[in-house]
């Protein structure tokens, strides 16, 4: 049995018919062809699939597509402005070399934006604690932590 | 995971009706344990009854000497709520130590308690504060709620709608966090309540329990020294890849002392 789902993704109204068991990340990637959101562990641990649902970071591998009905979803594709200007967190990842292979990056950036919103001028300890649910196997986290601290300060200062 | 029917009842009464009508249905709150369980095919319910659309079972309010937390209130909401921070800061702190930020945005107090994972934090939080579970059928004291490994006093068709916390004089939660999962290898909540000192332990045994010898000692003398030599019996504790029973017994005392020292 298929169920109708409708939501906005990156501000655009989308709808589709899915099985109840279809995960939000499957709807985003396979139905909407927005493949920036990655699936790493598929067990709620690695954070590669992090998106925002109604403004809050969640792991889209552990939410059903039907649970997002009527909600606003933002993925990594929805962060930069239409003219290509990067979001301050994306810009900070570039500036501080917050990535190597890039697989975890969409989730890191989406969680980074969530951290910056909740913790203006976040210190290093806070950022490291808050990255508990996002795993990177290349960078050793140093550049990621620096990027999020920098973006958090800039966003708090209204510079970006 | 296997497919299932999906329902979003608008009231607790409707949810209960659906539950009665579908013998193999499961309730879903945040889904932070249930969805991974379904993915591993450890369970295959015929129907999922999602409680997310029921308006009156989420949020926090004060009712006299009690703080009432709706079953569908997320860990992040409990952690950030101004009333919880003012009246039971030890509980706000506990909620902020569950899982990771994305999990805290979805997981709920009702779901965590109904699941009764032996390493979850809320069982110690509810037991330690002498909280009461309000269901669609009755009230159940936390003392009578956690019966064993993933086992609670909830009966078929029973739904937690909220948790009532008597506002304590003081409380504090200490946790040895598993570095990968974030679950409590051991967690201890110490509370000074109007009806006495309570010490609740999670992570160490098959389900949360009270360390009554420590409670008695702290009632006479609320100091670190008073519980220095008191240990819980390791025979009743979990012995697994993460920690031996003897180690857990040792850590219970260490964390209880740290909690008392925080007073």
């Amino acid at each position: 049995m298929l169920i109708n789902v409708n939501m906005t993704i990156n501000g655009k109204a989308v709808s589709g018919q899915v099985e109840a068991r279809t995960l939000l990340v499957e709807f985003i990637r396979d139905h909407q062809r927005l493949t920036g959101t990655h699936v790493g562990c598929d067990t709620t641990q690695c954070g590669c699939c992090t998106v925002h649902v109604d403004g809050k970071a969640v792991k889209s591998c552990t939410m059903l597509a039907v649970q997002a009905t009527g909600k606003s979803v933002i993925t990594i594709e929805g962060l930069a402005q239409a003219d290509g200007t990067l979001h301050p967190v994306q810009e900070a990842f570039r500036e501080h070399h917050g990535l190597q292979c890039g697989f975890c990056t969409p989730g890191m950036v989406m969680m980074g934006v969530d951290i910056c919103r909740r913790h203006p001028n976040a210190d290093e300890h806070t950022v490291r604690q808050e990255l508990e649910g996002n795993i990177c196997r290349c960078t050793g986290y140093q550049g990621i932590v620096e990027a999020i601290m920098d973006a958090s300060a800039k966003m708090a200062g209204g510079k970006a | 995971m296997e497919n299932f029917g999906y329902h979003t009842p608008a009231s607790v009464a409707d949810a209960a009706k659906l539950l009665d009508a579908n013998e193999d249905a499961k309730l879903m709150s945040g889904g932070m344990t249930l969805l991974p369980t379904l993915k591993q095919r450890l369970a295959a319910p015929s129907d999922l009854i999602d409680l997310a659309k029921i308006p009156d079972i989420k949020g926090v309010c004060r009712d006299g000497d009690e703080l009432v937390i709706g079953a569908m209130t997320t860990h992040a909401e409990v952690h950030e709520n101004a009333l919880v921070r003012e009246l039971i800061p030890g509980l706000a702190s506990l909620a902020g130590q569950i899982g990771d930020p994305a999990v805290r945005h979805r997981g709920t107090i009702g779901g965590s308690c109904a699941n009764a994972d032996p390493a979850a934090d809320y069982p110690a939080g509810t037991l330690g504060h002498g909280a009461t579970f309000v269901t669609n059928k009755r009230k159940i004291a936390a003392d009578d709620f956690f019966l064993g490994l993933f086992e609670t006093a909830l009966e078929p068709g029973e739904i937690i709608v909220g948790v009532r916390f008597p506002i304590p004089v003081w409380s504090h939660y200490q946790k040895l966090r598993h570095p990968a999962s974030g679950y409590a290898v051991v967690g201890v909540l110490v509370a000074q309540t109007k009806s006495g000192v309570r010490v609740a332990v999670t992570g160490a045994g098959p389900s949360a329990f009270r360390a009554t010898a420590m409670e008695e000692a702290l009632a006479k003398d609320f100091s670190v020294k008073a519980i220095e030599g008191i240990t819980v019996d390791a025979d009743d504790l979990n012995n697994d890849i993460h920690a031996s029973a003897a180690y857990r017994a040792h850590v219970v005392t260490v964390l209880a002392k740290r909690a008392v020292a925080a007073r």
Side-chain angles (χ1 to χ4, degrees):
Chain A
M1 193 182 76
L2 296 177
I3 301 175
N4 290 319
V5 294
N6 49 72
M7 63 192 79
T8 67
I9 299 184
N10 302 328
K12 185 181 142 203
V14 299
S15 60
Q17 287 201 315
V18 298
E19 285 188 314
R21 64 178 168 177
T22 303
L23 301 171
L24 178 58
V25 71
E26 293 169 340
F27 185 71
I28 291 169
R29 286 180 55 87
D30 302 342
H31 293 245
Q32 299 302 316
R33 300 284 173 192
L34 292 168
T35 54
T37 303
H38 291 169
V39 178
C41 70
D42 198 21
T43 53
T44 339
Q45 297 174 72
C46 79
C48 289
C49 65
T50 304
V51 301
H52 296 176
V53 175
D54 282 353
K56 291 185 171 131
V58 304
K59 294 180 175 180
S60 61
C61 81
T62 311
M63 182 166 173
L64 302 172
V66 290
Q67 290 180 290
T69 284
K71 296 187 183 294
S72 163
V73 177
I74 304 290
T75 69
I76 188 72
E77 290 91 343
L79 277 191
Q81 291 173 25
D83 66 1
T85 306
L86 295 178
H87 184 281
V89 174
Q90 290 174 306
E91 186 59 45
F93 268 66
R94 198 177 69 144
E95 181 75 22
H96 293 273
H97 200 67
L99 62 147
Q100 284 184 30
C101 89
F103 193 86
C104 72
T105 310
M108 286 287 178
V109 170
M110 297 311 286
M111 180 50 77
V113 173
D114 191 89
I115 293 168
C116 291
R117 282 183 189 152
R118 287 183 291 114
H119 299 281
N121 294 307
D123 61 18
E124 180 177 345
H125 178 74
T126 303
V127 172
R128 288 187 183 275
Q129 290 278 310
E130 291 282 323
L131 283 177
E132 170 73 34
N134 291 73
I135 294 172
C136 172
R137 298 286 76 154
C138 311
T139 65
Y141 298 96
Q142 198 60 33
I144 295 171
V145 172
E146 285 169 6
I148 295 173
M149 286 168 64
D150 186 22
S152 166
K154 285 189 173 139
M155 286 166 71
K159 287 182 202 157
Chain B
M1 71 184 114
E2 302 287 344
N3 205 17
F4 41 77
Y6 177 77
H7 312 271
T8 50
S11 70
V12 173
D14 287 352
K17 265 186 226 156
L18 284 163
L19 205 49
D20 284 342
N22 299 281
E23 197 188 336
D24 295 322
K26 284 260 182 230
L27 297 171
M28 175 160 67
S29 50
M32 290 298 97
T33 298
L34 182 59
L35 290 174
T37 305
L38 299 191
K39 283 183 177 185
Q40 291 179 77
R41 303 199 181 216
L42 295 172
S46 63
D47 296 82
L48 282 191
I49 303 166
D50 186 350
L51 303 175
K53 295 280 188 326
I54 303 175
D56 50 354
I57 58 169
K58 59 187 92 169
V60 178
C61 68
R62 184 178 183 163
D63 181 15
D65 289 338
E66 290 184 318
L67 200 63
V68 187
I69 302 182
M72 287 295 287
T73 312
T74 65
H75 310 322
E77 286 162 354
V78 172
H79 176 56
E80 287 158 15
N81 184 274
L83 263 184
V84 182
R85 287 195 168 195
E86 182 199 335
L87 299 172
I88 320 184
L91 186 67
S93 163
L94 175 149
Q97 294 178 54
I98 300 170
D100 62 55
V103 167
R104 292 195 288 272
H105 282 150
R106 298 286 305 158
T108 69
I109 186 170
S112 173
C113 291
N115 187 49
D117 190 300
D121 300 287
Y122 267 131
T126 50
L127 191 58
H129 287 103
T132 301
F133 291 92
V134 183
T135 78
N136 57 332
K137 297 186 174 167
R138 58 185 168 141
K139 289 182 177 175
I140 309 170
D143 283 322
D144 305 321
F145 187 83
F146 298 103
L147 301 183
L149 193 72
F150 295 104
E151 189 189 350
T152 69
L154 290 170
E155 287 168 1
E158 195 164 16
I159 303 170
I160 300 174
V161 297
V163 190
R164 302 182 74 94
F165 289 87
I167 295 164
V169 178
W170 172 89
S171 66
H172 186 85
Y173 182 60
Q174 279 282 333
K175 171 181 183 179
L176 176 64
R177 179 189 176 87
H178 186 276
S181 71
Y183 276 103
V185 177
V186 176
V188 178
L189 189 128
V190 178
Q192 290 175 307
T193 74
K194 280 163 196 153
S195 49
V197 178
R198 295 175 73 98
V199 179
V201 180
T202 193
S207 74
F209 63 88
R210 287 169 64 187
T212 45
M214 290 189 193
E215 293 179 352
E216 284 160 21
L218 289 170
K220 289 191 200 109
D221 171 20
F222 196 86
S223 72
V224 172
K225 228 178 167 60
I227 52 171
E228 200 100 52
I230 303 178
T231 47
V232 295
D233 191 348
D235 289 348
D236 303 327
L237 301 188
N238 299 337
N239 199 17
D240 57 31
I241 188 173
H242 306 305
S244 68
Y247 178 74
R248 280 189 164 93
H250 174 72
V251 173
V252 169
T253 305
V254 170
L255 294 184
K257 281 161 62 184
R258 284 185 193 166
V260 171
R263 177 72 167 113

